[in-house]
């Protein structure tokens, strides 16, 4: 094979050859770049991004950097409707694509050493280390550099976005003069004159409203064009010489969308100057516009008085609580350990669940791609994580987000010709309105409706909170079921109901007929809605009667049609292979396995034409197998194995959402080696940049899938008939593992080693568990052990 650039390695993955980047050191609690890799800087900026649920930030340098970089600072819930850009307009296209905006750069500290600006792109770098401390939510960087005049400086910086004070961030930045005595100039600033790399028309989206600057302090309030959100961003700083605070003088700069202080100091050889900079980002979503500047100043002054060390300690203490409930420990495999903790860390800092107006974008706070909008990823991949690692209100808030948007979902369906309260939830949204503009995705990938219905079911079976169904759950389910009832049509030739012109989860197939997963999730949604209705009629007849009246629901007529669809919906099936077909005509394709694709043509979405991809048999992510995962008990392991053996060799896994589902299924059918390899693929997807796209941001929503791949895959956790079931598997390379789950407000810890499984109950209620289908009593505040079994492959 050809030689690769430094930092790249070949890897094998299920008979496929992959090229991965291998410059991040393996460490259980840290993401480490030892030695600067400027060609990968945008990747590292993504990997080491910070967030606190309210604000987020890529791992950009504080000082100026003229090399490869993508500046990114984000404020949750603040977006711009960027005008849709398409070549051929079709009726029904959204007018805009919503995107979370790159907001003010508040971390900036320009530094001049003598007459030269400090810029690592123009310096000789003598040493460099950048690391993300996941245990404490802290970004650190240390480097030694030599400037063109021979001056050598040592710089250390650390920063965090406070979880305890969600509008606040802090930076501690130290410069040491190693071999010179001269002047050093520090220019801390706030800059709202920023751009979005993904702007459709190269527009800037912020207009200045007001600003002020004074000694050691500065604020800018800016407004988003069109949506009129306002954000006040401010800075306040102190300075220390050899760790001792001192008074300083500063010149002030005040220009359009920019404020700064300019502090010039005489520094002796060996002296250290530290600048502690505190930032505030407060939006009009959380404060009246007329009070933004004064409230932002109040928050910032309080943080400044607390000081850096106290703020950091409060922040780290809260991270310890998060880890206590969500950490997964893997013994004997540091690469696997680092991968799962990285995924958990990013999920926890992206969404805190405190605000039901917010949701989870596929890139979180790590980049601009996908606009920070909400996709079906949240329901399919993220809710299970928050159900098991956080209080139930967190997942409930994610469901409430969709209920708040029900009227918009009905409007979205109405634009396509559906009526009578039929609801089509958007493929991409900020406010409930569809804002995605690829027809084959936006209007054909309708299985997302089913993912939202399934999330309601998943929440209820996990928490036992049936009261959510009245009215919120039922109202959403009713709208979704009405959509399915109108979206199907009767095929006289097949004598079955069919779903035409759809796109399944496999987006490498568009406008297909009778996608198996879409038909399956549609049938299930109708069935579950009928079950919910029966429960409401029995337990809450008066409330149910009110809801029937509110929604003009003719139960007998509408459910009669639903039942007919359930009974007569069509599924393409091949008798010879004994498999369900992904869609009509799938076997017409030339079925060559992925292993036959030359490595230099991977990923195919970056090397092949779209026409070639559409005609190929290659599957982007779990599609038919997505249904096998969701409804495992309906199919049985023999059937799942047969479908896994057929479809997985045709799957290129070029969606971040793919390896996780395949990991769970591989574990379920006893394919231990495949499960392990697939797990590494999902857990280290961004760390090793498998899909060559981490520079755009990390795959946050797929990280929920990574957690699922561990807990549902290797832990074998299922919920059946209101009870927890486990069938643990221990990969040969691991010495053991442990994880915790919160099930109906009881904390259960599961510890697995090479010989046994130990269950610890951290609650005061005993619990019946099923382990390898055997019943096990877990005492209140006690523990129980049982032997670990070696699971054999099915068949």
């Amino acid at each position: 094979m050809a030689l690769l650039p430094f930092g790249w390695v070949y890897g094998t993955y299920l008979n496929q050859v992959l090229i991965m980047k291998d410059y991040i050191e393996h460490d259980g609690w840290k993401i480490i770049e030892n030695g600067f890799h400027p060609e990968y800087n945008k990747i590292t900026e993504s990997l080491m991004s910070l967030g606190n649920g309210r604000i987020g930030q890529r791992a950009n340098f504080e000082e100026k950097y003229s090399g490869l970089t993508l500046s990114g600072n984000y404020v949750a819930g603040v977006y711009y409707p960027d005008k849709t850009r398409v070549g051929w307009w079709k009726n029904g296209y959204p007018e805009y694509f919503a995107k979370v905006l790159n907001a003010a750069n508040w971390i900036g500290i320009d530094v001049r050493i003598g007459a030269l600006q400090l810029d690592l792109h123009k310096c000789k770098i003598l040493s460099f280390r950048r690391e993300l401390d996941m245990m404490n939510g802290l970004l650190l960087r240390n480097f030694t550099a030599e400037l063109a005049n021979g001056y050598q400086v040592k710089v250390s910086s650390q920063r965090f976005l406070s979880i305890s004070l969600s509008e606040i961030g802090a930076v501690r930045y130290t410069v040491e003069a190693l071999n010179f005595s001269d002047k050093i100039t520090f220019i801390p600033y706030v800059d709202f004159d920023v751009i979005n790399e993904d702007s459709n028309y190269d527009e800037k989206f912020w207009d200045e409203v007001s600003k002020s600057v004074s000694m050691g302090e500065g604020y800018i309030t800016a407004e988003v064009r069109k949506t009129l959100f306002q954000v006040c961003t401010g800075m306040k700083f102190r300075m220390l010489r050899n760790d001792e605070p001192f008074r300083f003088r500063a010149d002030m700069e005040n220009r359009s969308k920019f404020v700064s202080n300019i502090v010039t100091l005489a520094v002796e050889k060996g002296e250290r100057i530290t600048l502690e900079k505190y930032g505030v980002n407060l939006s009009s979503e959380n404060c009246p516009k007329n009070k933004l500047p004064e409230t932002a100043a109040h928050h910032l002054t309080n943080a400044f008085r607390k000081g850096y060390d106290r703020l950091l300690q409060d922040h780290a203490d809260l991270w310890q609580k998060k880890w206590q409930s969500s950490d997964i420990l893997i013994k004997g495999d540091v690469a696997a350990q680092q991968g799962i903790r990285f995924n958990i860390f990013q999920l926890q800092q992206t969404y805190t669940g405190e605000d039901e107006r917010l949701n989870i974008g596929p890139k979180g706070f790590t980049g601009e791609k996908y606009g920070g909008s909400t996709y079906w990823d949240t329901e399919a991949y993220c809710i299970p994580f928050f159900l098991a690692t956080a209080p139930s209100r967190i997942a409930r808030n994610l469901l409430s987000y969709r209920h708040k948007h029900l009227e918009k979902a009905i409007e979205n369906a109405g634009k396509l010709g559906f009526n009578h309260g039929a609801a089509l939830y958007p493929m991409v949204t900020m406010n409930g309105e569809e804002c995605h503009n690829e027809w084959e995705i936006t209007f054909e990938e309708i299985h997302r409706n089913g993912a939202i219905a399934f999330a309601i079911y998943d929440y209820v079976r996990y928490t036992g909170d049936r009261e959510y169904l009245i009215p919120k759950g039922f109202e959403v389910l009713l709208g979704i079921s009405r959509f399915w009832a109108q979206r199907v049509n009767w095929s006289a030739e097949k004598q079955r109901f069919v779903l035409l012109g759809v796109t399944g989860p496999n987006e490498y197939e568009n406008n297909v007929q009778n996608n198996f997963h879409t038909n399956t999730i549609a049938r299930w949604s109708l069935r579950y809605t009928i079950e919910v209705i029966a429960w409401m009629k029995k337990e809450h007849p008066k409330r149910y009667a009110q809801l029937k009246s509110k929604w003009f629901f003719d139960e007998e007529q509408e459910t009669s049609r639903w039942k007919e669809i359930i009974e007569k919906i069509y599924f393409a099936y091949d008798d010879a292979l004994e498999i369900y077909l992904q869609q009509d005509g799938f076997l017409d394709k030339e079925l060559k396995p992925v292993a036959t694709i030359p490595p230099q043509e991977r990923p195919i979405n970056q090397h092949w034409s779209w026409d070639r991809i559409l005609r190929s048999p290659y599957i982007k992510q779990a599609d038919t197998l997505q249904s096998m995962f969701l409804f495992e008990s309906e199919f049985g392991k023999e059937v799942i194995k047969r479908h896994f053996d057929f479809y997985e060799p045709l799957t290129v896994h070029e969606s971040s959402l793919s390896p996780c589902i395949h990991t769970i299924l591989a574990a379920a059918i006893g394919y231990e080696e495949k499960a392990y390899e697939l797990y590494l693929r999902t857990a280290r997807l961004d760390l090793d940049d498998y899909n060559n796209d981490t520079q755009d941001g990390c795959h946050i929503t797929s990280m929920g899938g990574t957690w699922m791949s561990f807990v549902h895959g290797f832990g074998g956790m299922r919920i059946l008939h209101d009870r927890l079931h486990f069938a643990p598997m221990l990969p040969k390379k691991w010495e053991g593992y442990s994880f915790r789950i919160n099930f109906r407000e009881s904390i259960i810890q599961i510890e697995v080693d090479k010989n046994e499984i130990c269950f610890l109950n951290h609650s005061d209620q005993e619990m019946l568990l099923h382990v390898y289908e055997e019943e096990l009593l877990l005492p209140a505040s006690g523990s129980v052990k049982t032997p670990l079994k070696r699971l054999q492959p099915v068949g």
Side-chain angles (χ1 to χ4, degrees):
M1 293 182 177
L3 292 176
L4 294 172
F6 176 76
W8 292 59
V9 296
Y10 281 113
T12 58
Y13 165 67
L14 304 180
N15 300 318
Q16 303 171 32
V17 178
L18 301 175
I19 299 175
M20 301 170 289
K21 299 178 181 67
D22 187 32
Y23 72 102
I24 296 297
E25 291 188 1
H26 291 181
D27 184 279
W29 277 107
K30 296 178 179 179
I31 310 302
I32 301 168
E33 178 192 26
N34 202 353
F36 187 39
H37 299 79
E39 70 277 25
Y40 301 148
N41 187 48
K42 290 171 73 173
I43 296 173
T44 313
E45 288 176 341
S46 296
L47 294 177
M48 300 191 187
S49 296
L50 295 175
N52 65 8
R54 184 73 68 189
I55 54 178
Q57 185 178 80
R58 287 171 61 83
N60 308 123
F61 297 166
E62 289 86 4
E63 76 278 357
K64 178 179 174 59
Y65 181 66
S66 58
L68 189 66
T69 184
L70 173 60
S71 178
N73 295 270
Y74 311 104
V75 180
V78 175
Y79 67 93
Y80 176 83
D82 203 7
K83 183 172 174 56
T84 294
R85 190 170 190 170
V86 295
W88 188 269
W89 194 271
K90 295 182 176 68
N91 286 336
Y93 269 173
E95 294 291 328
Y96 67 91
F97 186 91
K99 56 188 58 175
V100 169
L101 299 180
N102 187 15
N105 178 0
W106 68 268
I107 66 169
I109 306 171
D110 283 352
V111 180
R112 290 202 295 265
I113 309 296
L116 296 179
Q117 184 165 46
L118 179 60
D119 179 350
L120 285 184
H121 190 57
K122 299 178 180 178
C123 295
K124 181 179 180 181
I125 300 174
L126 305 178
S127 67
F128 183 95
R129 182 182 175 91
R130 177 167 37 172
E131 68 178 56
L132 176 65
D133 174 358
M134 297 184 289
M135 180 181 287
N136 297 299
L138 183 65
L139 177 63
L140 304 102
R141 184 167 57 103
N142 300 279
F143 66 84
T144 304
E146 182 176 288
L147 284 75
N149 57 9
Y151 286 1
Q152 293 182 359
V153 293
K154 182 179 180 180
V155 174
S156 63
S157 72
Q158 54 177 263
R159 73 173 181 257
F160 62 95
L161 298 179
S162 172
I163 293 180
S164 59
L165 300 173
S166 59
E167 297 85 8
I168 299 296
V171 178
R172 177 176 278 168
Y173 191 91
T174 300
V175 179
E176 181 178 351
L178 294 181
N179 67 347
F180 66 92
S181 298
D182 204 334
K183 291 181 178 180
I184 299 181
T185 300
F186 294 84
I187 309 175
Y189 62 85
V190 173
D191 183 9
F192 244 120
D193 191 19
V194 295
I195 62 171
N196 265 62
E197 187 178 72
D198 68 346
S199 169
N200 281 342
Y201 294 90
D202 300 322
E203 294 178 272
K204 292 185 177 180
F205 303 125
W206 295 96
D207 290 325
E208 182 182 302
V209 175
S210 66
K211 65 176 178 286
S212 63
V213 61
S214 58
M215 186 81 69
E217 198 166 2
Y219 300 88
I220 304 176
T221 300
E223 185 172 75
V224 181
R225 296 172 185 175
K226 294 185 181 179
T227 52
L228 306 182
F229 294 106
Q230 288 189 7
V231 173
C232 181
T233 300
M235 69 169 183
K236 197 174 179 70
F237 68 94
R238 62 167 58 93
M239 302 196 71
L240 304 91
R241 188 186 299 266
N242 297 326
D243 302 326
E244 293 296 326
F246 68 93
R247 293 181 177 274
F248 58 88
R249 294 179 58 84
D251 294 323
M252 274 70 76
E253 186 177 8
N254 180 341
R255 52 185 162 86
S256 177
K257 304 182 190 178
F258 183 94
V259 295
S260 73
N261 274 210
I262 303 168
V263 182
T264 301
L265 306 168
V267 177
E268 297 296 321
K269 176 182 174 181
E271 281 194 313
R272 299 187 314 277
I273 304 296
T274 298
L275 190 152
E276 288 183 355
K277 184 179 184 184
Y278 304 81
V280 64
N281 287 277
L282 183 64
S283 84
S284 56
E285 287 287 270
N286 303 297
C287 177
K289 290 181 181 180
N290 62 351
K291 294 187 176 181
L292 268 176
E294 65 179 272
T295 307
H298 174 73
H299 286 314
L300 191 54
T301 299
N302 284 344
F304 186 80
R305 288 172 178 166
K306 269 195 169 187
Y308 186 90
D309 291 329
R310 173 68 184 281
L311 282 173
L312 177 57
Q313 188 60 59
D314 291 348
H315 168 76
D317 288 346
L318 286 178
W319 264 112
Q320 299 313 305
K321 292 181 179 179
K322 286 181 178 290
W323 285 118
Q324 187 177 14
S325 65
S326 63
D327 188 28
I328 290 175
L329 174 65
I330 299 173
K331 298 178 181 178
D333 190 341
V334 68
Q337 177 69 86
Q338 183 183 45
I340 192 65
R341 282 200 176 121
F342 176 68
N343 284 252
I344 294 169
F345 174 80
Q346 291 289 357
L347 281 165
Q348 291 280 30
Q349 69 171 1
T350 299
Y351 184 76
T352 62
E354 300 303 321
D355 189 340
E356 66 180 22
R357 297 172 300 174
L358 300 178
N359 208 281
I360 305 166
K363 294 291 183 181
F365 293 123
T366 70
E368 297 178 13
K369 192 173 181 182
Y370 304 120
S373 301
T374 297
Y375 287 62
W376 69 288
D377 304 24
T378 294
E379 283 74 25
Y381 299 92
C382 296
I383 280 181
F385 170 79
F386 290 105
L387 278 173
T389 62
S392 59
R393 62 181 172 80
I394 305 300
R396 187 178 176 121
N397 278 348
L398 284 171
L399 296 182
S400 294
Y401 177 89
R402 294 296 193 178
H403 181 260
K404 283 178 174 293
H405 292 167
L406 176 58
E407 289 296 339
K408 286 287 187 182
I410 293 171
E411 287 180 24
N412 292 335
K415 292 175 183 177
L416 302 183
F418 299 94
N419 54 40
H420 190 53
L424 175 60
Y425 277 90
M427 185 66 190
V428 179
T429 192
M430 281 290 185
N431 62 1
E433 186 176 27
E434 179 64 73
C435 62
H436 192 271
N437 54 36
E438 294 178 68
W439 184 271
E440 65 274 16
I441 304 298
T442 309
F443 303 110
E444 295 187 347
E445 201 164 332
I446 53 176
H447 63 85
R448 61 189 185 255
N449 251 16
I452 291 166
F454 190 87
I456 295 170
Y457 161 76
D458 206 16
Y459 169 80
V460 171
R461 72 168 172 170
Y462 198 96
T463 65
D465 179 17
R466 287 182 175 270
E467 299 308 309
Y468 179 77
L469 295 170
I470 302 182
K472 292 182 178 180
F474 167 73
E475 291 183 330
V476 171
L477 290 168
L478 176 63
I480 288 172
S481 293
R482 284 173 161 175
F483 172 80
W484 291 127
Q486 294 179 43
R487 184 60 170 78
V488 301
N489 64 270
W490 179 254
S491 166
E493 186 270 328
K494 290 182 170 62
Q495 288 293 293
R496 287 287 186 271
F497 288 102
V498 294
L499 277 165
L500 308 179
V502 302
T503 297
N506 173 30
E507 293 171 341
Y508 289 177
E509 295 270 18
N510 300 151
N511 199 37
V512 303
Q513 321 309 327
N514 296 306
N515 170 258
F516 177 79
H517 177 66
T518 307
N519 288 21
T520 300
I521 201 75
R523 179 181 64 177
W524 177 87
S525 300
L526 295 170
R527 184 187 297 151
Y528 181 57
T529 306
I530 291 171
E531 291 175 8
V532 169
I533 290 169
W535 173 80
M536 287 192 301
K537 288 172 67 176
K538 179 181 179 181
E539 301 294 335
H540 300 276
K542 289 184 180 179
R543 296 286 304 281
Y544 175 60
Q546 293 168 353
L547 289 170
K548 282 180 63 178
S549 176
K550 175 183 176 181
W551 291 100
F552 303 99
F553 178 47
D554 186 332
E555 180 190 338
E556 183 176 354
Q557 180 182 0
E558 293 191 54
T559 60
S560 175
R561 176 169 171 81
W562 298 354
K563 290 173 183 177
E564 187 180 11
I565 294 168
I566 291 168
E567 181 183 351
K568 297 180 180 180
I569 196 166
Y570 172 75
F571 296 96
Y573 187 80
D574 185 83
D575 292 318
L577 294 173
E578 295 185 285
I579 62 166
Y580 290 101
L581 301 186
Q582 184 174 276
Q583 70 266 345
D584 288 353
F586 185 80
L587 294 182
D588 292 337
K589 292 174 175 289
E590 189 175 4
L591 301 177
K592 292 182 178 180
V594 173
T596 64
I597 303 174
Q600 63 271 22
E601 296 182 19
R602 299 288 309 279
I604 62 173
N605 62 21
Q606 296 175 20
H607 293 89
W608 287 12
S609 70
W610 192 242
D611 169 75
R612 185 179 179 187
I613 290 173
L614 289 175
R615 289 185 290 105
S616 81
Y618 301 123
I619 302 169
K620 184 181 180 184
Q621 67 190 81
D623 194 309
T624 303
L625 293 180
Q626 185 80 15
S627 285
M628 302 283 170
F629 158 67
L630 291 177
F631 310 114
E632 178 183 28
S633 61
E634 295 184 21
F635 293 102
K637 292 186 177 181
E638 290 284 354
V639 173
I640 292 173
K641 176 185 181 297
R642 195 157 57 244
H643 286 77
F644 188 95
D645 290 346
F646 180 79
Y647 284 110
E648 197 284 329
L650 299 172
T651 304
V652 288
H653 299 291
E654 289 175 10
S655 165
S656 65
L657 304 173
S658 184
C660 55
I661 299 301
H662 287 83
T663 300
I664 298 167
L665 293 176
I669 59 178
Y671 286 4
E672 179 185 312
E673 184 177 344
K674 283 191 175 184
Y676 175 78
E677 291 175 346
L678 285 157
Y679 165 77
L680 283 185
R681 173 81 183 255
T682 183
R684 300 193 61 85
L685 180 78
D686 291 310
L687 292 173
D688 294 333
D689 196 20
Y690 275 98
N691 287 347
N692 198 31
D693 60 359
T694 305
Q695 67 177 15
D696 299 325
C698 296
H699 298 83
I700 303 301
T701 50
S702 80
M703 293 175 176
T706 299
W707 179 90
M708 290 163 57
S709 73
F710 189 99
V711 173
H712 297 304
F714 300 124
M717 190 187 87
R718 304 289 190 272
I719 301 165
L720 299 171
H721 310 299
D722 292 331
R723 289 187 182 176
L724 286 171
H725 291 240
F726 295 92
M729 167 189 285
L730 181 67
K732 292 184 179 69
K733 295 184 179 182
W734 295 358
E735 297 172 5
Y737 60 79
S738 66
F739 62 94
R740 289 188 177 197
I741 60 165
N742 176 4
F743 180 69
R744 302 193 177 185
E745 308 308 323
S746 293
I747 307 298
I748 309 300
Q749 184 170 330
I750 299 91
E751 298 179 348
V752 177
D753 63 26
K754 292 185 177 181
N755 299 308
E756 64 183 11
I757 312 158
C758 180
F759 296 91
L760 296 95
N761 191 347
H762 295 282
S763 68
D764 57 5
Q765 296 183 51
E766 67 178 22
M767 183 178 295
L768 279 173
L769 306 176
H770 290 257
V771 184
Y772 302 124
E773 299 182 359
E774 295 181 6
E775 195 173 87
L776 203 65
L777 178 64
L778 178 58
S781 304
S783 64
V784 64
K785 295 181 179 180
T786 190
L788 175 72
K789 292 184 180 180
R790 176 64 64 184
L791 300 180
Q792 299 300 317
V794 173

